[in-house]
Amino acid sequence: MKGGRTSLLAGRNTAPLSDNDIRRVGNTFYGLDREAVFAHADGENTRCRVIEVEGEIVCEIRFGADIFPGKSVVDPNSALSMRAAAAHELSHLHRWRDKTELDGDHLVEIDEALTDLEAILRYYPQLNENEIRQLIADAIQRLQIFAQRHPEGFATLKPAPNEV
């Protein structure tokens, strides 16, 4: 996760965030997890990234306009609410801290699906039924993307030589 790949797929909001939107997102992150490090990053995609701050390695969440849902109601990732997307990103942070994230470009979609499911378990009390359904649908979509990219299945799945 060092570079901080983006978690959210295309089709999400692209309109710039107002100061009120930025405060609302910040309050949502803070309400879900008071210890998380997060910041608005104008013009960037939402992601977790590992950085060094004063000699300490930390994971921070950078959020952009795509933290809000897009207009597509058919695409599960595009339809994720802002709070569901925030819970997903916070779960990336916890998976990094707990050392449970999956490494390797060949496992990105599996890692994203597991992050969706962990977000449900971790933030269940703060998410409504619709947001839980959105995260489940996104996890299913991620697994379908994985299956399309790797029709040979897990048995023959190997990391690229530079990922070993």
Side-chain angles (χ1 to χ4, degrees):
M1 178 194 304
K2 283 194 173 152
R5 72 177 182 262
T6 197
S7 292
L8 303 171
L9 301 173
R12 298 200 45 90
N13 178 57
T14 57
L17 301 182
S18 68
D19 289 343
N20 191 41
D21 293 332
I22 294 167
R23 271 191 301 280
R24 187 172 149 218
V25 173
N27 288 339
T28 300
F29 276 116
Y30 186 72
L32 289 170
D33 190 326
R34 295 186 190 276
E35 296 180 16
V37 176
F38 57 87
H40 175 245
D42 193 32
E44 295 182 25
N45 289 329
T46 301
R47 68 191 187 285
C48 271
R49 67 181 192 155
V50 177
I51 59 171
E52 186 175 335
V53 176
E54 298 177 7
E56 184 181 347
I57 303 297
V58 298
C59 182
E60 78 165 354
I61 298 168
R62 309 263 302 170
F63 68 89
D66 65 340
I67 192 74
F68 284 95
K71 295 183 178 10
S72 174
V73 294
V74 177
D75 178 4
N77 189 271
S78 176
L80 272 180
S81 74
M82 181 268 288
R83 187 168 45 192
H88 175 93
E89 294 305 321
L90 287 165
S91 291
H92 271 300
L93 180 145
H94 286 284
R95 287 172 54 78
W96 174 80
R97 283 183 185 162
D98 296 341
K99 300 185 185 324
T100 58
E101 64 186 345
L102 300 180
D103 287 330
D105 290 342
H106 63 295
L107 297 174
V108 168
E109 299 305 335
I110 300 291
D111 187 64
E112 292 294 336
L114 290 171
T115 302
D116 280 331
L117 298 175
E118 186 168 315
I120 294 166
L121 294 173
R122 184 176 293 278
Y123 299 105
Y124 182 82
Q126 292 105 327
L127 299 172
N128 64 42
E129 284 183 36
N130 189 49
E131 290 163 334
I132 290 168
R133 284 189 191 100
Q134 290 172 345
L135 286 162
I136 291 169
D138 188 51
I140 291 168
Q141 179 185 31
R142 299 302 186 128
L143 294 173
Q144 289 170 335
I145 291 169
F146 176 84
Q148 289 168 356
R149 289 183 180 160
H150 304 285
E152 70 281 0
F154 285 107
T156 59
L157 188 63
K158 295 180 181 155
N162 62 348
E163 294 179 5
V164 179

